[in-house]
Each structure stands twice: as structure tokens, then as C-alpha cells.
Amino acid sequence: RYEGVEQGALAKAEGLTLGSNVSIRLPEKKGFSGLFEIEDTEIIGGLDHFAVPAAGANLGVYPTINDPHVNEVNQAYIDYETGVFTTRVGRQRIRLDNQRFIGSASWRQDELTFDGIKLGFTPTSVDELSVYAINKRNRGAGRMADVDSHDLLVNLSHRFVGSKLTGYYYQLKPDAAGAAPMQNLFSTGIQFTGQTRWQNMEVDYLLEGAKQEECRAATTHSASYAQAWAGVHSGSSVARVGYERM
């Protein structure tokens, strides 16, 4: 991966990196299964002319490119499934809905993963509840960027014929000792997605609205979020029009 950034009076940042992942999946036995995965990011040709704020590297010299040298465990978890219940314990990748609020930030070499427990409940073939309790965020800029936390993620969905309705609540609370100043984020939203056919063409659409509240020290701010788009598929071509407000 090559990335170059020019920003104001700073010297041009350039980074050339090679990212790799190796994983081993444990076969299912009596409801148990698991996965172990390591990731590695290497600098190629010494081209690491960029700032990494979490590590304090090259600040004020180059713009930021958050792809430092990394070698670490990306995922390591045990799954247990029985009937309508599932459990996942350990370091895991979490991608919820369109990843607008919770995702893996996979465009960076060092992927965002989380340490915690997932509890899943699927009472019917069309209903699903996922609850995550997280105590650490392994962020995408090396170990120095990782954050101990007390996060709670709740995602509830129901599928209709050709559509899906999702409601969510995400509480992101870093440890006070690991965040200065402490920033707590509370996000609540609803999303509706679907597909249909119109004049022999496939049409897909999304409607979403959310509210986010930020609490930092003694100050509280709130903001609303809205997104809507519709797309038309014809053969191998897709045309979409959308609106997003943050």
C-alpha cells in the first residue's frame, strides 16, 4: 500500500507498507469453535515519512498516515452455539450494519478489533439480537492507540420480505485513566434497508436516522445524523443517489 499526503507547510508524507494476515480456524466440536489470527504491517524500503500521533512520531514534521509497523494478534476468540443462543469471547472483529458507527476500519493496515464478549439471540429466522460488552478497543494505529474501555453495543433487527429494520444503541466509554479528557459517546438510531424490482431492474434503498451525545468532562454536546439513498441495478451497472447529514 502506498499513501502520500500533502498538508499546509508540512513536508509531504509518504508511506509504503505491506500488510498480511494469517489465521487458523478451529473446527466445530460440541458447539465450540474458534479462530486465531495475527496481523503484520511492514515498512517497505524505509518509506515511513509520516506522523503517527498515538506514538508521538514525526509530529509537526509530516502529515498523519496511521500505518505504523505492527505485529500483533488481530483476533483470538472462542465461539459457543446452542440452539438460538450464541456466545463469542475474546478479541474479535465487529462490523455492524453499514459500519457507520461500529466497524473494523479495514482501509488501514492495522485493523480495528475489540476485546470482549458477544451474546447473540435468534429466536426466529427473521429476528436477531446482538449484545457486546467490550473492555478494550485495539485501534488501527498500533498498540499505543489502543484504549481500555467499558463499551456496550446493542443491535436488534427484524427481517421482512425484501427489507430489514434495525434499531441500535451504542455506549462508548473509555477508562478515565486512559483518556484525557474523558470522552463518552452515546448513539441511538434506527435503519431501514431493502430491495425490490422496478421495470425489470433491481432497486435497493436505505433510510437511517440517529442521535449521538458526547460527554466530555463537564460538557455535553448532541448531534443528529441522517442518511438516505436509493440505487438502480441494470446488468453489471449500478447508479445511486444519496443524502447524508452529520
Side-chain angles (χ1 to χ4, degrees):
R1 171 192 177 112
Y2 171 81
E3 184 172 349
V5 180
E6 296 184 36
Q7 179 182 331
L10 299 177
K12 181 181 178 180
E14 291 184 291
L16 184 61
T17 56
L18 174 65
S20 58
N21 291 65
V22 177
S23 60
I24 299 174
R25 186 172 296 277
L26 305 179
E28 189 274 337
K29 187 173 183 180
K30 296 185 178 180
F32 288 93
S33 60
L35 181 134
F36 180 80
E37 179 181 76
I38 60 173
E39 67 175 0
D40 179 78
T41 303
E42 297 292 335
I43 307 297
I44 299 177
L47 199 59
D48 58 352
H49 307 152
F50 51 82
V52 181
N58 296 325
L59 297 180
V61 180
Y62 299 109
T64 297
I65 297 178
N66 272 323
D67 282 333
H69 170 71
V70 173
N71 187 287
E72 64 180 359
V73 175
N74 192 46
Q75 295 191 92
Y77 60 76
I78 295 294
D79 283 340
Y80 179 69
E81 182 174 353
T82 174
V84 298
F85 295 98
T86 59
T87 304
R88 175 169 292 177
V89 180
R91 180 165 298 184
Q92 54 195 277
R93 178 188 296 118
I94 303 176
R95 295 171 174 168
L96 296 179
D97 303 318
N98 57 3
Q99 303 188 60
R100 183 64 186 85
F101 292 97
I102 305 295
S104 59
S106 298
W107 58 86
R108 297 254 63 102
Q109 297 282 38
D110 183 9
E111 196 173 35
L112 170 62
T113 57
F114 303 86
D115 294 356
I117 300 173
K118 173 193 175 181
L119 301 177
F121 178 53
T122 311
T124 71
S125 61
V126 296
D127 296 298
E128 183 176 1
L129 171 65
S130 298
V131 179
Y132 299 82
I134 297 166
N135 60 20
K136 187 177 183 180
R137 306 174 210 156
N138 306 290
R139 301 198 299 174
R143 295 184 185 89
M144 296 295 292
D146 295 349
V147 174
D148 293 328
S149 63
H150 300 281
D151 301 335
L152 175 66
L153 314 177
V154 181
N155 189 280
L156 175 64
S157 65
H158 176 80
R159 293 185 182 275
F160 302 92
V161 177
S163 61
K164 179 181 177 183
L165 179 65
T166 303
Y168 53 84
Y169 171 76
Y170 304 142
Q171 170 188 290
L172 304 179
K173 298 181 67 176
D175 285 352
M182 187 174 179
Q183 179 193 40
N184 299 325
L185 291 174
F186 305 90
S187 304
T188 306
I190 188 168
Q191 181 186 95
F192 186 67
T193 60
Q195 305 86 33
T196 188
R197 295 197 66 83
W198 176 70
Q199 295 187 358
N200 296 321
M201 292 185 293
E202 181 181 330
V203 177
D204 59 3
Y205 54 87
L206 177 146
L207 298 170
E208 183 174 8
K211 182 178 180 181
Q212 187 171 78
E213 186 174 89
E214 177 193 61
C215 301
R216 188 189 296 264
T219 305
T220 299
H221 300 283
S222 63
S224 59
Y225 172 78
Q227 180 184 194
W229 55 255
V232 177
H233 301 245
S234 179
S236 60
S237 301
V238 181
R240 281 199 177 100
V241 60
Y243 168 82
E244 187 173 22
R245 178 175 61 83
M246 344 182 176

